[in-house]
Amino acid sequence: MATFDNAYSRFVVMAKVVLPLVALGILSTLFLFSKSKDAELTIPYAEVDVESIARDQIIGEPTYTGVTRDGSAISISALSARPRDGDTTYMLAEDLQAVITTPDGTIIDIEAIAGTVDSVGNQAILNGNVQIVTSTGYQINTPSLMSSLNDTDLSSDAGVQAKGPLGVLDAGGMHLTETAENGYLLVFNGGVKLVYTPQN
């Protein structure tokens, strides 16, 4: 009986030492695995985002607003923009949208895939499937369009296709500008071909 009691006592003493050590080993193993997993999931993505922002200086959803000398309100927005070679006065933008509202109430909506805004030269150049819709009934498509930021002045020499009150036309270029009578004139030039649609 005494031998059994001694063996049991030794087992209890050993268990008190061994079991905590085993438990400590299991916890440390779980901690190490958890730490390495979290590091793999989070650190690389965080480093890429921070480095990209620091390098490219990308601006999300920028907006430019102003008033031209002839009183037209102009607003240009984009999905994103970044300075060209670190020069913040010359911005490269993607998914551009512009709205020009003239003093006589004419509204010109413009969309383009990309473009540049030069705040020193006071002009914006829109590129890639430029679509222009005016409240006077014109729908114009052109590969490239230049817009002044100081005056109501839009021009393209990249070829245009337009639908309007007179019908459908193709031309080598277009120019929208203010007239001396404080009105606005839209001129198509460069080999204009018009399919005239009579009005009822």
Side-chain angles (χ1 to χ4, degrees):
M1 188 69 176
T3 302
F4 175 77
D5 290 338
N6 289 337
Y8 178 75
S9 298
R10 285 195 299 272
F11 173 76
V12 170
V13 171
M14 186 177 297
K16 288 182 178 180
V17 175
V18 173
L19 291 178
L21 291 175
V22 172
L24 182 60
I26 293 172
L27 287 175
S28 63
T29 303
L30 291 174
F31 175 76
L32 290 174
F33 285 156
S34 175
K35 184 177 179 181
S36 63
K37 182 178 180 181
D38 290 342
E40 290 176 0
L41 288 176
T42 59
I43 291 177
Y45 294 104
E47 287 179 351
V48 169
D49 290 342
V50 171
E51 290 175 0
S52 175
I53 293 172
R55 181 179 63 254
D56 297 331
Q57 302 181 47
I58 296 175
I59 303 171
E61 300 182 356
T63 300
Y64 169 88
T65 57
V67 178
T68 63
R69 282 186 286 235
D70 55 291
S72 294
I74 182 170
S75 174
I76 303 174
S77 60
L79 180 64
S80 64
R82 59 185 176 84
R84 183 184 67 176
D85 299 327
D87 182 4
T88 56
T89 64
Y90 197 96
M91 303 297 290
L92 308 175
E94 295 182 1
D95 195 5
L96 276 165
Q97 295 184 339
V99 179
I100 301 173
T101 305
T102 64
D104 64 3
T106 300
I107 299 174
I108 304 168
D109 290 303
I110 308 170
E111 295 183 0
I113 294 175
T116 59
V117 177
D118 181 0
S119 59
V120 174
N122 291 309
Q123 68 176 10
I125 299 175
L126 291 78
N127 296 301
N129 191 28
V130 181
Q131 300 179 10
I132 307 165
V133 178
T134 73
S135 59
T136 55
Y138 284 95
Q139 299 178 19
I140 305 168
N141 285 57
T142 182
S144 179
L145 180 73
M146 186 172 68
S147 173
S148 170
L149 302 179
N150 284 339
D151 304 283
T152 304
D153 192 303
L154 303 173
S155 64
S156 173
D157 56 4
V160 298
Q161 295 80 43
K163 294 180 180 179
L166 296 179
V168 179
L169 65 84
D170 291 323
M174 59 160 279
H175 190 196
L176 171 67
T177 187
E178 183 188 15
T179 65
E181 295 77 20
N182 296 322
Y184 297 90
L185 179 65
L186 175 60
V187 176
F188 295 98
N189 49 46
V192 179
K193 297 179 182 179
L194 171 65
V195 178
Y196 176 66
T197 303
Q199 301 296 314
N200 292 332

